[in-house]
Amino acid sequence: MTFPANPTSASAVVGQRLRLVSGPGAAALLKGLTMPVILVAFATYLVVGIVTMRVPEGTAFPGPQFFPGIIAAGLYIFAAVLAVGAIREIRATPDALTAEIEAARAEAAGEEPPAKPVRVDIRSFAWVVVSFLAFAFLLEFLGWIIAAGLLFWCVARAFGATRWLMSLVVGLTLSSLAYIGFDMALGMPLPSGILGGF
Amino acid sequence: MDVLTLLGEGFAGALTPANLLWVLIGCLLGTAVGVLPGLGSSMAVALLLPVTFSLDPTAAFIMFAGVYFGGLFGDSTMGILMNTPGQASAIASTFEGHKMALNGRAAQALATAAIGAFIGGMVASVVVVFVAPALADFSSRFGPAEFFALAVFAFAATSSVVADSAIKGLTSLFIGLGIAVIGIDGVSGAPRFTLDSPNLFDGISLVTVTVAILALGEVIYVACLERHMTNKALIKPTGRPWLSRRELKEAAPAWLRGTAIGLPFGVVPAGGSEIPTFLAYGLEKRLDKRRKNPMFGKGAIRGLAAPEAAGNSTTGMAMGALLALGLPISATAAIMLAAFRQYGLQPGPLLFDRAPDLVWALLASFFIAMVVLLILNLPFAMLWAKLLLIPRPYLYAGITVFCGLGIYATSGSTFDLVMLLGIGLLGFLMRALDFPLAPLIIGMVLGPLAETSLRDAAMSTNGDFTVLVHGPISITLYALLAAVLVFSIRSKIVAGKRAEAEDKELVDA
């Protein structure tokens, strides 16, 4: 019995077992080494910060550098272990034919089918990420209502909404309602942007 | 003062019209996110966190508690009707629950789940009312060394017990600890890892991290999978939505056993209610095999009743552990701990002395929430299933807009929005590569406590770290931790051997 790692994630709750996979060779290497690279980068950032830190005089041991030092060391160790594990896994990956035979065998034996492997949908990914980045920088200029409406439209598109006019109307309605509810009623400041001139 | 008098005062505080409204809103929201597959109560609490800053603390926590419990009431609905659990805590209930629905007993299955959740939550709330003050009294003897031991206990348990791979759990934990050290050091006043940018002097806000990891990262992840998903058929329940006397008799022992299994897990930081639900399911299955005609596999009412009760009793106890010890056992509880801090309250021994109004009103609101949730879920389960009519693109687009709203409204800066996206991408990567997220959140929330108590303890003895294992309380905590680790390693080895043996059988055959 295994427990899903992330209680809220779709892989655990959408009912279908989907598993993100990558192609063989360079793509697999990229997938396996992404996390170690991020960990090393973050640990190095911490180390640089520890070395250049201006510690006030008279600070007793253990000072402000002590705890971050442990964290940085831990991150380097985990990065190394994960990288070694990833490279081993790539070497041990069965070729396509073996994998197919294996799957057929599992099915014949009446086992639960393994998670269906799917690839990252790069177009949807880009729509969400790029539109959120644009939202972050354009929010103050465009104002909440327009910027949030456009963000809604872009994300809905990324999720495969086809009726674009409809989602634009829904998005603008939602952003206007949020503006009324949060800015006017609850007093949380949201930018009015170019609409503020009217 | 007598516990019952205090609880009575709590009810007086919780039964005001305004607070009743917040209970209701919390329960409605919690049930909604519980019912909708792909949304969970941790995401809902994270998204609500920035919005609640304009409320008074009692109202905010009453609402959070409603969401937390509501998620556990709602999550089994879709599991039963569509074989799609609403969140991970309902996976164990889905096995037998959906089979009951396939046999035309969907309405009874929904009732069994709702009553089970109600019993589990009620019993746990009663236990909390009597145990929490004693626990808080006990923890008032904690010094820095004991708090450090408590934090280490939480770190080790969340990152190694829940996660399939301990190394991934620990990685996630250390990323969280690393994010938490950014900002001005509370002990010495030295700015740390800020690149001299005023944006980072206060550190990276916990609100930004939780919203990014639990909500935006989830949206990006689902966006990448959305086109591969197919919709399944929904079973329409017919017939009486209540249980006959025979069914009640059948389910009652399972409800009680499930509750008993769930209770202790409320104080063990093992990631929340997933593990106890599976344990309760497993126990019922083993007991069922000994009966004359085993029901499991054909829609056993006990296989649904036990995990539902276990999930809610764990959550109830978890709230007790959070209030009395300041110990969060799951991501949702960790966010609530962060919310307490935002209001300048520190859960733990002093909370019961300093803010008794809040604590007892919150405890009283648990009982109210259970009743409200039973009413919301028992007769209206089909109405909740209608939530599936919301087109998924709009649902996720709305969540994205809400992420931006919460972060911008609390910080007012573009910098935080970009940080939100950056950490959201990290959350996406961790999901895609199967790293657990709860250790990151717990590391971020408890990291500062661990660091300050470690340094306070060591400084008081001029840098002698043996002070950490001097007191009887901290030694007990480390012994408990060792026991938990041995248990989890043993069960992993047993599971591994069993899988190996099965493999061999297949090869031989």
Side-chain angles (χ1 to χ4, degrees):
Chain A
M1 208 178 306
T2 55
F3 308 107
N6 298 309
T8 58
S9 82
S11 57
V13 296
V14 173
Q16 292 151 297
R17 301 279 297 163
L18 296 177
R19 189 166 52 95
L20 286 178
V21 295
S22 55
L29 197 67
L30 190 71
K31 183 190 166 206
L33 293 183
T34 311
M35 211 49 172
V37 168
I38 293 176
L39 294 180
V40 167
F42 188 41
T44 309
Y45 175 75
L46 290 180
V47 168
V48 171
I50 292 169
V51 173
T52 59
M53 198 185 296
R54 292 182 302 273
V55 183
E57 274 178 45
T59 308
F61 176 82
Q65 292 144 319
F66 178 71
F67 198 66
I70 298 176
I71 298 169
L75 288 173
Y76 278 125
I77 294 170
F78 300 145
V81 175
L82 285 170
V84 170
I87 290 170
R88 264 202 203 140
E89 199 176 310
I90 290 167
R91 289 226 180 116
T93 306
D95 57 284
L97 190 66
T98 332
E100 214 165 277
I101 294 170
E102 193 77 357
R105 184 195 63 84
E107 206 169 317
E111 285 170 29
E112 211 175 296
K116 181 180 155 200
V118 295
R119 291 192 187 190
V120 169
D121 192 333
I122 203 76
R123 253 187 326 162
S124 296
F125 175 81
W127 267 103
V128 176
V129 174
V130 172
S131 65
F132 199 89
L133 198 63
F135 166 78
F137 285 107
L138 291 176
L139 176 61
E140 269 157 49
F141 170 70
L142 287 177
W144 168 261
I145 294 180
I146 295 177
L150 288 177
L151 176 66
F152 186 97
W153 185 78
C154 291
V155 177
R157 218 201 112 107
F159 275 82
T162 42
R163 296 156 63 195
W164 61 271
L165 190 64
M166 178 70 180
S167 38
L168 191 64
V169 170
V170 175
L172 286 173
T173 314
L174 187 85
S175 64
S176 312
L177 285 177
Y179 189 79
I180 294 169
F182 290 97
D183 185 284
M184 296 179 179
L186 284 176
M188 300 172 97
L190 292 172
S192 52
I194 47 175
L195 287 181
F198 297 100
Chain B
M1 220 190 306
D2 193 11
V3 169
L4 289 178
T5 339
L6 286 165
L7 186 64
E9 280 169 24
F11 268 105
L15 282 170
T16 60
N19 282 344
L20 277 179
L21 181 71
W22 293 118
V23 173
L24 186 66
I25 292 178
C27 292
L28 286 172
L29 268 174
T31 313
V33 295
V35 168
L36 283 169
L39 309 187
S41 47
S42 58
M43 187 206 252
V45 174
L47 281 175
L48 283 178
L49 189 58
V51 180
T52 46
F53 289 158
S54 48
L55 299 178
D56 79 290
T58 314
F61 289 111
I62 285 179
M63 184 161 80
F64 282 150
V67 173
Y68 201 176
F69 286 118
L72 287 161
F73 268 83
D75 60 3
S76 50
T77 307
M78 283 305 146
I80 291 167
L81 297 180
M82 235 171 65
N83 202 14
T84 301
Q87 48 187 26
S89 49
I91 294 176
S93 336
T94 302
F95 301 137
E96 292 303 312
H98 186 62
K99 289 196 183 105
M100 277 182 80
L102 287 175
N103 291 347
R105 292 163 72 204
Q108 288 95 307
L110 290 171
T112 311
I115 299 172
F118 177 78
I119 292 178
M122 266 307 191
V123 172
S125 302
V126 172
V127 173
V128 166
V129 162
F130 288 99
V131 169
L135 213 54
D137 199 40
F138 169 68
S139 68
S140 64
R141 280 184 273 161
F142 281 20
E146 282 78 16
F147 275 118
F148 182 70
L150 196 66
V152 169
F153 181 51
F155 291 160
T158 38
S159 51
S160 61
V161 178
V162 190
D164 282 339
S165 133
I167 191 81
K168 285 184 172 177
L170 283 170
T171 307
S172 170
L173 173 74
F174 270 63
I175 295 175
L177 292 174
I179 296 174
V181 294
I182 295 172
I184 289 177
D185 172 34
V187 181
S188 65
R192 299 196 286 186
F193 317 110
T194 56
L195 304 173
D196 290 325
S197 150
N199 283 323
L200 286 174
F201 279 165
D202 286 336
I204 299 174
S205 140
L206 194 93
V207 180
T208 312
V209 175
T210 46
V211 173
I213 294 282
L214 295 174
L216 193 61
E218 176 78 16
V219 171
I220 301 173
Y221 182 69
V222 180
C224 290
L225 293 177
E226 181 67 17
R227 287 169 211 257
H228 303 289
M229 289 175 190
T230 44
N231 283 325
K232 297 187 199 170
L234 187 72
I235 295 174
K236 286 240 158 68
T238 48
R240 59 198 162 87
W242 61 83
L243 300 176
S244 68
R245 189 166 292 176
R246 234 192 79 238
E247 283 165 328
L248 277 176
K249 237 185 181 168
E250 171 91 14
W255 280 327
L256 296 180
R257 279 195 292 263
T259 308
I261 289 176
L263 284 176
F265 276 91
V267 285
V268 180
S273 48
E274 284 86 49
I275 294 179
T277 53
F278 275 105
L279 287 180
Y281 174 81
L283 175 71
E284 291 305 321
K285 196 169 178 180
R286 252 175 293 152
L287 289 176
D288 187 67
K289 273 190 192 151
R290 296 194 198 152
R291 302 173 83 191
K292 260 188 235 144
N293 48 5
M295 283 299 291
F296 266 66
K298 296 179 254 171
I301 196 164
R302 289 187 172 179
L304 171 63
E308 276 301 304
N312 252 27
S313 76
T314 299
T315 307
M317 273 308 277
M319 298 294 298
L322 177 67
L323 289 172
L325 296 174
L327 176 71
I329 64 144
S330 65
T332 316
I335 303 167
M336 287 179 69
L337 178 62
F340 271 108
R341 296 224 184 106
Q342 302 277 5
Y343 286 109
L345 300 161
Q346 176 62 46
L350 295 176
L351 189 69
F352 280 75
D353 288 335
R354 287 200 187 143
D357 300 353
L358 170 73
V359 171
W360 289 102
L362 184 58
L363 288 177
S365 78
F366 291 174
F367 294 95
I368 303 171
M370 289 302 150
V371 176
V372 170
L373 281 167
L374 188 66
I375 298 170
L376 283 178
N377 280 276
L378 198 51
F380 300 120
M382 261 337 273
L383 225 55
W384 287 108
K386 289 239 163 28
L387 278 177
L388 282 187
L389 293 178
I390 302 175
R392 291 172 66 84
Y394 294 172
L395 189 66
Y396 282 95
I399 291 170
T400 314
V401 168
F402 215 75
C403 292
L405 171 80
I407 296 307
Y408 191 83
T410 46
S411 69
S413 75
T414 304
F415 176 82
D416 279 62
L417 285 178
V418 177
M419 185 62 93
L420 175 72
L421 182 63
I423 301 176
L425 283 172
L426 176 71
F428 161 72
L429 274 176
M430 290 176 67
R431 274 195 175 80
L433 300 174
D434 219 18
F435 281 77
L437 300 171
L440 191 157
I441 306 285
I442 290 179
M444 169 117 200
V445 172
L446 286 185
L449 173 81
E451 183 183 6
T452 347
S453 43
L454 174 68
R455 284 163 69 183
D456 282 350
M459 272 195 252
S460 64
T461 54
N462 293 321
D464 180 12
F465 284 105
T466 52
V467 67
L468 294 175
V469 288
H470 266 189
I473 300 175
S474 41
I475 291 174
T476 316
L477 277 170
Y478 288 121
L480 203 60
L481 172 63
V484 169
L485 287 184
V486 167
F487 174 76
S488 86
I489 291 169
R490 200 190 71 105
S491 66
K492 262 174 204 167
I493 290 174
V494 169
K497 272 197 183 145
R498 198 177 297 156
E500 226 170 74
E502 275 168 18
D503 272 356
K504 253 197 199 133
E505 267 170 40
L506 280 172
V507 173
D508 292 344

